[in-house]
């Protein structure tokens, strides 16, 4: 059986149970505190900032930011996810503005946001170059983009696809396409081309750098449902970063 790669239908299927703590998608929510340990180093105060979450899904990161009193907009190409996000934000009384759209053609005016968040997205979009161009367009001068994504290495293929999708089935088969992963240098080149400077990147290291650390990370997740992260020089699987619009 041929597996369809970069199969984004999974997110549509998960929309109705997005906020269920036992759902397949639920572990993504546990990454936000870890991500923002890194992002908080460059954005020390989120209150009052105009923040756009590109590829927001059912709203995990949007609600995380709204609880920190940011002014939040969320965009996703899944209408089902947007509906789920709107319903949950309404139930929680969070004033988040959601809309349907794609990263390559953001339906917002130029220079309207202080920060753009783009996590777990660049490895899925049709054109990361066009997506970055659009993020630059909607950011104010001096605004920041905060991102994470997956490197295109042998190790990322082994961990993200062979191990997590095929062997352990912790991630649905087909959700990732190794060919669409971006190397840090490719991403840095795109950011520079579209007016970003002060690019910072670090390993978003959830799995460790050795086989024993990988086994320990998996056992910890199975026992506790939680992740630990190191922000280090090992960018071989996932990496995280920020950049400033010049």
């Amino acid at each position: 059986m041929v597996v369809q790669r970069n199969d984004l239908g999974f997110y549509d299927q998960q929309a109705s149970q997005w906020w269920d703590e036992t759902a397949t998608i639920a572990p993504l929510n546990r990454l936000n505190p870890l991500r923002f340990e890194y992002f908080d180093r460059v954005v020390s105060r989120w209150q009052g900032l105009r923040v756009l979450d590109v590829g927001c899904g059912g709203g995990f990161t949007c609600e995380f930011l709204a609880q920190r009193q940011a002014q939040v907009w969320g965009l996703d190409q899944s209408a089902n996810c947007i509906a789920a996000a709107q319903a949950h934000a309404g139930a929680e009384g969070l004033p988040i503005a959601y809309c349907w759209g794609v990263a390559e053609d953001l339906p917002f005016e130029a220079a309207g946001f202080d920060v753009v968040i783009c996590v777990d997205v660049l490895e899925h979009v049709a054109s990361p170059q066009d997506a970055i161009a659009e993020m630059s367009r909607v950011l104010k001068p001096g605004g920041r983009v905060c991102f994470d994504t997956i490197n295109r290495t042998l190790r990322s293929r082994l961990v993200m696809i062979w191990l997590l999708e095929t062997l352990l089935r912790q991630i649905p088969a087909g959700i990732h396409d190794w060919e669409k992963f971006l190397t840090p240098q490719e991403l840095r080149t795109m950011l520079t081309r579209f007016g970003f400077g002060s690019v910072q990147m670090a390993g978003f290291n959830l799995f460790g750098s050795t086989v024993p650390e990988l086994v320990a990370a998996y056992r910890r997740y199975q026992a506790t449902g939680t992740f630990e992260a190191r922000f280090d020089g090992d960018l071989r699987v996932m990496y995280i970063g920020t950049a400033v619009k010049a």
Side-chain angles (χ1 to χ4, degrees):
M1 176 180 175
V2 177
V3 174
Q4 179 185 345
R5 288 288 162 195
N6 197 37
D7 183 5
L8 303 184
F10 165 73
Y11 296 103
D12 277 320
Q13 295 161 12
Q14 288 291 303
S16 63
Q17 53 187 322
W18 196 273
W19 289 91
D20 184 339
E21 292 185 2
T22 64
T24 304
I25 203 75
L28 291 185
N29 200 18
R30 298 168 201 148
L31 294 179
N32 275 319
L34 303 178
R35 287 175 169 133
F36 281 84
E37 284 181 26
Y38 186 89
F39 297 150
D40 286 350
R41 299 175 183 181
V42 295
V43 183
S44 59
R45 188 171 182 269
W46 294 88
Q47 184 176 5
L49 293 182
R50 292 172 58 88
V51 183
L52 170 63
D53 181 16
V54 176
C56 64
F60 289 149
T61 302
C62 287
E63 294 204 9
F64 185 87
L65 286 163
Q67 289 162 359
R68 296 174 127 198
Q69 298 183 300
Q71 301 177 58
V72 185
W73 284 254
L75 172 140
D76 201 272
Q77 67 176 11
S78 167
N80 290 345
C81 286
I82 289 297
Q86 289 171 327
H88 196 269
E92 296 294 315
L94 295 172
I96 301 169
Y98 286 110
C99 70
W100 178 89
V102 295
E104 298 89 344
D105 187 18
L106 298 175
F108 303 104
E109 65 182 16
F113 294 99
D114 299 296
V115 182
V116 171
I117 305 291
C118 184
V119 292
D120 192 27
V121 169
L122 288 171
E123 66 271 24
H124 295 299
V125 298
S127 172
Q129 181 169 275
D130 290 345
I132 291 166
E134 277 292 273
M135 290 181 229
S136 177
R137 182 184 66 79
V138 302
L139 272 171
K140 299 175 182 178
R144 293 185 182 272
V145 60
C146 299
F147 58 85
D148 67 38
T149 191
I150 306 174
N151 199 351
R152 192 175 66 256
T153 62
L154 175 60
R155 185 176 178 84
S156 73
R157 188 168 200 156
L158 290 173
V159 172
M160 300 303 298
I161 295 180
W162 180 78
L163 183 63
L164 295 182
E165 288 191 17
T166 305
L167 184 63
L168 299 177
R169 304 198 176 190
Q170 295 295 310
I171 298 174
I175 196 69
H176 292 124
D177 181 351
W178 184 80
E179 298 288 344
K180 293 183 70 63
F181 294 174
L182 292 172
T183 69
Q185 186 54 53
E186 288 169 341
L187 181 51
R188 185 181 294 273
T189 298
M190 292 178 194
L191 289 166
T192 301
R193 177 180 177 185
F194 293 106
F196 288 100
S198 302
V199 180
Q200 300 180 33
M201 296 183 185
F204 187 21
N205 197 339
L206 301 177
F207 309 110
S209 298
T210 65
V211 172
E213 288 179 343
L214 176 60
V215 172
Y218 180 68
R219 286 178 174 170
R220 180 174 57 250
Y221 175 73
Q222 289 295 100
T224 67
T226 61
F227 301 98
E228 291 182 3
R230 297 200 307 254
F231 306 114
D232 56 21
D234 188 351
L235 284 69
R236 290 178 297 169
V237 181
M238 296 174 66
Y239 61 101
I240 192 167
T242 63
V244 180
K245 180 178 176 180

